[in-house]
Amino acid sequence: MDDPEGPDPTALTARGRTTRHKVYKQFIEEASKLYGNALVNTAVEIPMVIGAYALISRMRVISSPGIAEKAEAALRTIVDICFSPNKFILELHQEIDRGRLDLLRDFSRAAREELSALKY
């Protein structure tokens, strides 16, 4: 028998937060692996790219539009790097010094803000 008052909003918020957290975490892990591979290899890991885009599609369903846009921008940059010459250690060090190595910073920040807003 259904609850006449409907589902518990707190439970829905907690479940939504947990689901988003899992998707965001999985995307960060997948994108990081792709990024690391792109820096040192010229081969594109097509199944991993497709998997990352699948996670972005899930974000479009469960998250605010800005989250998916930031994830897609990061992944687009990573794919572009796949088609660029490999980086050498000195270049990576320079990228770190310039603060340009963390391609997931904007996505991570937006995801944290959204998850914080879902606290009950």
Side-chain angles (χ1 to χ4, degrees), residues 5 8-9 28 30 32 35 44 62 65 68 74 79-80 84-85 91-92 97-99 103-105 111 115 118:
E5 295 180 26
D8 178 14
I28 289 169
E30 296 274 330
S32 296
Y35 185 33
V44 178
I62 64 173
V79 170
D80 288 345
S84 301
E91 291 174 298
L92 290 175
D97 286 346
R98 294 182 194 133
L103 297 180
L104 297 171
R105 180 179 297 146
L115 290 172
L118 291 175

Side-chain angles (χ1 to χ4, degrees), residues 35-70:
Y35 185 33
N37 188 52
L39 290 172
V40 296
N41 293 311
T42 55
V44 178
E45 297 287 335
I46 299 297
M48 288 181 69
V49 172
I50 299 302
Y53 273 111
L55 290 169
I56 292 171
S57 291
R58 288 184 65 194
M59 288 178 215
R60 286 189 190 105
V61 173
I62 64 173
S63 304
S64 64
I67 298 291
E69 289 169 6
K70 287 182 179 11

Side-chain angles (χ1 to χ4, degrees), residues 80-119:
D80 288 345
I81 291 169
C82 289
F83 295 103
S84 301
N86 292 341
K87 300 278 185 185
F88 294 103
I89 298 297
L90 179 59
E91 291 174 298
L92 290 175
H93 188 263
Q94 292 168 345
E95 294 288 309
I96 291 169
D97 286 346
R98 294 182 194 133
R100 293 167 49 189
L101 199 61
D102 188 0
L103 297 180
L104 297 171
R105 180 179 297 146
D106 290 342
F107 169 78
S108 299
R109 190 173 293 141
R112 183 184 64 241
E113 289 171 7
E114 184 161 293
L115 290 172
S116 292
L118 291 175
K119 286 186 179 177

